[in-house]
């Protein structure tokens, strides 16, 4: 289904983060357990430009954990890519640079957003938001001085509704030399639920002069347009909206530039993306490891298919690449009904909610 809209947002200028010039204002988010090399590669084939690694523990990296080193893998086509570091110890972060500088990363991002208790209880991730912003200023400053790469930080609006600190933290990061700031418009206590506070992101944008990237509920072209309009942000990060949807970047760009997008993929397009993704996983993790890992991605692709559920249950026990391929082929041959990619999100999050100008969401 093609949809047209009259009021389109035109991003003011291409996104520039330090020395990195981008042609689009969209970024593939860091996602633990998701944003590996196969996932990034698949999204790049469909139009993504800048992507991030999942968060990498600075401590594990500094101590040479092999598993953590594997998470840093990038390929010749996986550029530009930013590495996201998790840590609150300036020395530990600086120690990782000996490794990071040997690899072709374009950016270093510091995670001050992870809500997981195991992380925050150590004062890392969103735990940093409970500290005096001076602490973040020191942390960012130490890394900025120790690297030639642009340094960015990803934060949340605050720890909870009573401590919305994004503006203070953004100021601190900017004065320490951060090249951009990404704000997930939820508090740590909200984790991934509840409404995104676009007003808080807009306040950060009004306060700092570095680029502001918005994160939160980037599930559809219209939701992303709304985020640009209501926050004035310079870029939007796509996270859960990219799961099972490698077309997210091209759809959003098409919508921002032409006012139209396609809300539906054919079953053969979906199955072809699944085959590609499975292939990439198996190349990277080996046949068994790649197939087992791909199971969770299968469920995200299947979410958009009417009878997807019965296939989801079947793939839980599949461990061979050939068997997984056979299920995907069977799915394609069954030619089930494909659901619109974005309609349900727009209905739930947009059409019921007036925008900041009081306009109804639907066109
Ligand atoms: C499975 C999962 C893993 C995530 N891992 C990270 C991470 O490693 N680093 C990070 O900064 N944010 C992480 N996030 C948060 C996302 O980058 C993003 O900020 C958040 O999901 C809000 O965007 P959305 O509502 O559009 O999904 C993760 C989110 C999900 C769903």
């Amino acid at each position: 289904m093609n949809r047209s809209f009259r009021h389109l947002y035109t991003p003011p200028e291409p996104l520039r983060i330090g020395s990195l010039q981008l042609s689009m204002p969209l970024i593939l988010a860091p996602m633990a357990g998701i944003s590996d090399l196969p996932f990034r590669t698949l999204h790049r084939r469909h139009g993504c430009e800048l992507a991030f690694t999942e968060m990498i523990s600075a401590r594990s990296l500094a101590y040479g954990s092999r598993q953590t080193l594997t998470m840093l893998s990038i390929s010749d086509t996986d550029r530009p890519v930013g590495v996201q570091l998790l840590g609150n110890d300036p020395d530990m972060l600086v120690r990782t640079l000996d490794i990071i500088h040997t690899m072709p990363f374009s950016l270093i991002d510091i995670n001050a957003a992870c809500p997981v208790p195991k992380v925050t209880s150590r004062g890392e991730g969103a735990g940093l938001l409970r500290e005096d912003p001076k602490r973040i200023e020191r942390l960012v400053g130490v890394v900025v001085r120790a690297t030639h790469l642009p340094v960015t930080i990803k934060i949340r609006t605050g720890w909870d509704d009573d401590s919305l600190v994004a503006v203070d933290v953004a100021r601190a990061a900017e004065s320490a030399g951060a090249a951009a700031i990404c704000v997930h418009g939820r508090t740590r206590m909200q984790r991934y639920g509840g409404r995104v506070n676009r007003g808080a992101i807009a306040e950060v944008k009004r306060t700092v002069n570095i680029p502001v990237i918005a994160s939160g509920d980037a599930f559809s072209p219209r939701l992303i347009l709304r985020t640009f309009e209501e926050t004035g942000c310079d870029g939007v990060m796509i996270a859960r909206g990219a799961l099972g949807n490698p077309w997210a970047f091209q759809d959003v760009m098409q919508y921002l530039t032409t006012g139209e997008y396609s809300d539906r993929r054919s079953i053969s397009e979906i199955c072809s993306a699944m085959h590609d993704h499975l292939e990439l996983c198996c190349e990277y993790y080996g046949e068994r490891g790649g197939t087992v890992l791909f199971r969770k991605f299968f469920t995200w692709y299947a979410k958009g298919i009417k009878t997807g559920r019965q296939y989801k249950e079947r793939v839980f026990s599949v461990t061979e690449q050939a068997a997984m391929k056979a299920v995907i082929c069977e799915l394609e041959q069954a030619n089930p009904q494909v659901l619109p990619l974005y309609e349900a999100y727009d209905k739930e999050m947009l059409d019921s909610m007036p925008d900041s100008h009081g306009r109804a969401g639907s066109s």
Side-chain angles (χ1 to χ4, degrees):
M1 181 203 326
N2 283 327
R3 311 186 66 164
S4 300
F5 298 92
R6 275 170 302 133
H7 304 289
L8 278 193
Y9 172 84
T10 316
E13 40 197 62
L15 182 55
R16 189 184 182 93
I17 303 176
S19 51
L20 184 66
Q21 177 74 60
L22 299 171
S23 64
M24 65 166 70
L26 306 173
I27 298 170
L28 185 59
M31 282 185 281
I34 308 284
S35 306
D36 57 6
L37 179 58
F39 184 76
R40 299 194 303 265
T41 304
L42 184 76
H43 276 276
R44 288 182 192 285
R45 287 182 185 168
H46 290 269
C48 156
E49 188 177 18
L50 173 62
F52 277 94
T53 66
E54 58 190 298
M55 64 183 181
I56 308 279
S57 158
R59 187 171 301 275
S60 304
L61 188 58
Y63 284 115
S65 150
R66 281 179 94 179
Q67 199 194 344
T68 307
L69 277 167
T70 313
M71 288 157 75
L72 285 183
S73 300
I74 46 182
S75 71
D76 290 347
T77 53
D78 185 30
R79 312 275 169 78
V81 61
V83 57
Q84 189 187 61
L85 295 175
L86 179 75
N88 64 352
D89 176 348
D91 292 340
M92 207 57 82
L93 285 169
V94 168
R95 275 177 63 182
T96 66
L97 298 179
D98 288 341
I99 300 165
I100 287 167
H101 286 161
T102 64
M103 308 183 77
F105 287 111
S106 301
L107 286 176
I108 297 172
D109 184 64
I110 298 173
N111 181 321
C114 178
V116 174
K118 204 173 83 186
V119 168
T120 58
S121 62
R122 291 196 303 253
E124 297 180 343
L128 282 165
L129 303 176
R130 302 186 95 172
E131 310 263 345
D132 184 334
K134 288 258 170 256
R135 175 98 194 259
I136 287 192
E137 191 171 332
R138 272 198 301 278
L139 200 63
V140 173
V142 164
V143 181
V144 166
R145 285 189 293 279
T147 183
H148 59 285
L149 297 172
V151 177
T152 60
I153 183 164
K154 184 161 179 277
I155 67 170
R156 285 177 174 250
T157 52
W159 181 261
D160 58 23
D161 285 343
D162 296 325
S163 61
L164 297 178
V165 294
V167 165
D168 295 337
V169 171
R171 265 202 205 102
E174 181 178 41
S175 68
I181 181 156
C182 174
V183 187
H184 178 182
R186 293 186 172 92
T187 63
R188 184 270 171 187
M189 294 310 283
Q190 281 181 282
R191 313 256 174 124
Y192 296 99
R195 287 263 184 242
V196 168
N197 183 349
R198 296 203 184 98
I201 303 175
E203 218 183 322
V204 170
K205 175 60 194 164
R206 284 193 296 272
T207 306
V208 295
N209 292 311
I210 51 176
V212 174
I213 319 293
S215 172
D217 289 351
F219 289 114
S220 77
R222 290 177 62 209
L223 277 160
I224 289 174
L225 173 63
R226 179 70 69 90
T227 300
F228 275 113
E229 287 181 330
E230 292 196 348
T231 65
C233 67
D234 303 279
V236 169
M237 210 168 237
I238 304 184
R240 287 173 293 177
L243 300 175
N245 181 12
W247 307 279
F249 285 81
Q250 68 192 56
D251 288 347
V252 176
M253 282 315 289
Q254 193 190 351
Y255 181 53
L256 292 178
T257 51
T258 69
E260 298 197 342
Y261 64 92
S262 169
D263 198 15
R264 219 181 275 262
R265 301 287 152 188
S266 68
I267 188 68
S268 56
E269 278 178 288
I270 295 172
C271 290
S272 165
M274 284 199 207
H275 280 302
D276 287 351
H277 199 160
L278 172 64
E279 189 86 34
L280 286 163
C281 288
C282 291
E283 269 170 29
Y284 186 62
Y285 295 104
E287 191 178 311
R288 191 188 160 88
T291 303
V292 169
L293 185 103
F294 178 76
R295 288 178 193 162
K296 70 179 170 200
F297 289 102
F298 185 102
T299 67
W300 281 306
Y301 289 106
K303 233 178 113 183
I305 297 167
K306 196 80 191 249
T307 50
R309 202 180 172 157
Q310 73 194 60
Y311 292 89
K312 269 193 318 202
E313 280 156 15
R314 275 178 55 196
V315 300
F316 284 143
S317 55
V318 172
T319 54
E320 307 276 321
Q321 184 179 6
M324 185 65 85
K325 274 184 172 172
V327 177
I328 300 171
C329 290
E330 202 185 306
L331 174 64
E332 183 170 1
Q333 270 153 23
N335 196 19
Q337 189 189 338
V338 176
L339 305 169
L341 277 167
Y342 308 116
E343 199 178 272
Y345 292 116
D346 288 347
K347 252 201 186 89
E348 184 193 331
M349 300 183 192
L350 205 55
D351 292 342
S352 58
M353 186 175 65
D355 68 12
S356 55
H357 311 291
R359 289 193 311 242
S362 44
S363 58

